[in-house]
Amino acid sequence: MRLFIAINFDGKTKAGIGKAIEGLKPYAIKGRFTHMDNLHLTLVFIGETIKLSQVKEAMDELAAPPFPLIIQGFGRFCRPGGDICWLGVSENDVMANVHAQLSASLSQQGFVLERRPYKPHLTLGRELVFKDEFNPGEFQQTIEPMQMEVTKVSLMQSERIAGRLKYTEIYNRWLSEEEAEN
């Protein structure tokens, strides 16, 4: 199984992100945009594993309160074959702590995780090639900041079904003020 731990979005936030994707599409000559049902914010990428019970155990050890997630800003990673475009996520100490706890717990379980610093972002599209008139700064001005309360983290399975990538929640962990205080 190919797994990752993520924050899934409520309907209002998904609609806001979808609006940003739809606003970006007319500027693209080619590329692949994220499907609405696959929108998420990755907390920890695990990769291929059969150790499902160890991942669930690491999630069950998590002690964190619910927290606000603020999505704002637009950026892109320029690549020769086309850009990766994303929305930014405001720094959040609780979310950074959730990432750190999960990473430490999974590492103790023997998982080999990415060593790069955690830079949360929401991918809008990949391999995007833009028309000459596309102005990233002007486009960013069209994106309204979004906020939602994060109340759980989800274990997601990534699989290709009929040629299309599909992410499915297979487990979750609710965040709790009480457990975070202990």
Side-chain angles (χ1 to χ4, degrees):
M1 282 190 271
R2 188 172 176 85
L3 302 176
F4 62 93
I5 300 172
I7 295 169
N8 288 318
F9 302 114
D10 59 29
K12 181 180 175 187
T13 305
K14 263 190 179 182
I17 299 166
K19 184 178 173 186
I21 290 171
E22 289 305 312
L24 194 57
K25 282 182 179 180
Y27 296 106
I29 297 169
K30 69 173 192 163
R32 296 177 292 119
F33 289 92
T34 304
H35 291 280
M36 289 293 290
D37 49 351
N38 282 351
L39 290 171
H40 70 278
L41 175 65
T42 301
L43 287 165
V44 179
F45 179 76
I46 298 164
E48 289 291 334
T49 186
I50 57 170
K51 301 190 296 186
L52 182 59
S53 61
Q54 287 94 328
V55 176
K56 290 179 179 179
E57 186 178 313
M59 290 177 69
D60 288 342
E61 292 172 3
L62 180 63
F67 61 91
L69 177 70
I70 299 171
I71 301 164
Q72 60 186 9
F74 170 78
R76 62 186 184 165
F77 302 124
C78 296
R79 301 283 199 287
D83 300 344
I84 298 172
C85 291
W86 48 269
L87 293 179
V89 175
S90 293
E91 285 189 32
N92 182 303
D93 290 341
V94 177
M95 184 170 63
N97 185 38
V98 166
H99 166 76
Q101 282 185 60
L102 290 169
S103 295
S105 204
L106 288 164
S107 293
Q108 288 173 357
Q109 295 277 1
F111 290 91
V112 178
L113 305 174
E114 291 183 340
R115 293 276 185 224
R116 295 183 291 183
Y118 181 55
K119 302 271 191 205
H121 62 276
L122 308 171
T123 302
L124 301 177
R126 290 178 164 70
E127 299 172 355
L128 300 178
V129 176
F130 291 100
K131 298 175 183 174
D132 290 338
E133 68 264 19
F134 178 62
N135 181 320
E138 285 180 12
F139 179 73
Q140 179 169 314
Q141 299 304 313
T142 68
I143 299 170
E144 295 289 326
M146 296 164 254
Q147 182 171 333
M148 70 168 256
E149 188 75 5
V150 176
T151 56
K152 73 174 181 172
V153 297
S154 300
L155 178 58
M156 306 297 290
Q157 180 177 359
S158 172
E159 54 191 339
R160 209 162 269 288
I161 300 173
R164 182 168 172 240
L165 202 54
K166 177 159 178 54
Y167 302 144
T168 306
E169 181 185 77
I170 59 173
Y171 189 71
N172 64 56
R173 173 73 160 102
W174 291 93
L175 303 178
S176 166
E177 286 286 346
E178 293 81 30
E179 289 180 16
E181 293 171 3
N182 293 333

